[in-house]
Amino acid sequence: MAVRIARIALAVTVALATIALTGCSTSGSQFTGTWGEDAAGKPSLKIEADGTFSGTDGCNPLEGKGTISGDTFTFGPFASILQACEGVTPWLNLASTAKVDGNTLIVFRTDGEKIGSLDER
């Protein structure tokens, strides 16, 4: 009888741990991936599960680390150069937060105004 109770307790513990870990791993999954076009002059962004990101605003490379809280990705400080590129509006370097809407990453400035969007690749 004691062995049976121990087995049940172990099974419940494993099930709860699996559920808890699954919840942790999926919290960033809506942001994890590559967003935007892979073309010259077009912005793109790759976000990793740990919040690190890298990409280009269409002209300048950028990288950094953000945080995920609920349905919001908050960009942390990021490194970028600011060179002028003819015909390119480098809006991604103004990013403060982002949210996912379907297969699109919507990017906002610090004042909450939408500045652009990137489709998932």
Side-chain angles (χ1 to χ4, degrees):
M1 178 80 162
V3 172
R4 184 171 186 210
I5 292 173
R7 285 183 182 165
I8 291 171
L10 178 61
V12 169
T13 301
V14 168
L16 290 174
T18 301
I19 290 169
L21 292 174
T22 300
C24 290
S25 66
T26 59
S27 65
S29 65
Q30 65 180 336
F31 296 102
T32 302
T34 304
W35 305 89
E37 297 181 45
D38 186 20
K42 301 292 183 181
S44 66
L45 188 66
K46 182 176 183 177
I47 302 175
E48 303 290 343
D50 68 353
T52 56
F53 60 88
S54 60
T56 177
D57 62 10
C59 176
N60 304 295
L62 53 94
E63 62 182 41
K65 184 162 185 174
T67 57
I68 298 167
S69 179
D71 67 345
T72 302
F73 181 84
T74 301
F75 291 87
F78 53 89
S80 179
I81 58 173
L82 292 176
Q83 65 185 16
C85 296
E86 192 173 324
V88 176
T89 304
W91 57 266
L92 191 54
N93 63 4
L94 301 174
S96 177
T97 61
K99 293 183 181 273
V100 174
D101 183 11
N103 291 331
T104 303
L105 186 72
I106 310 296
V107 182
F108 302 91
R109 293 189 319 197
T110 55
D111 64 3
E113 183 178 331
K114 176 183 169 184
I115 54 174
S117 60
L118 301 169
D119 292 329
E120 187 175 25
R121 273 197 258 160

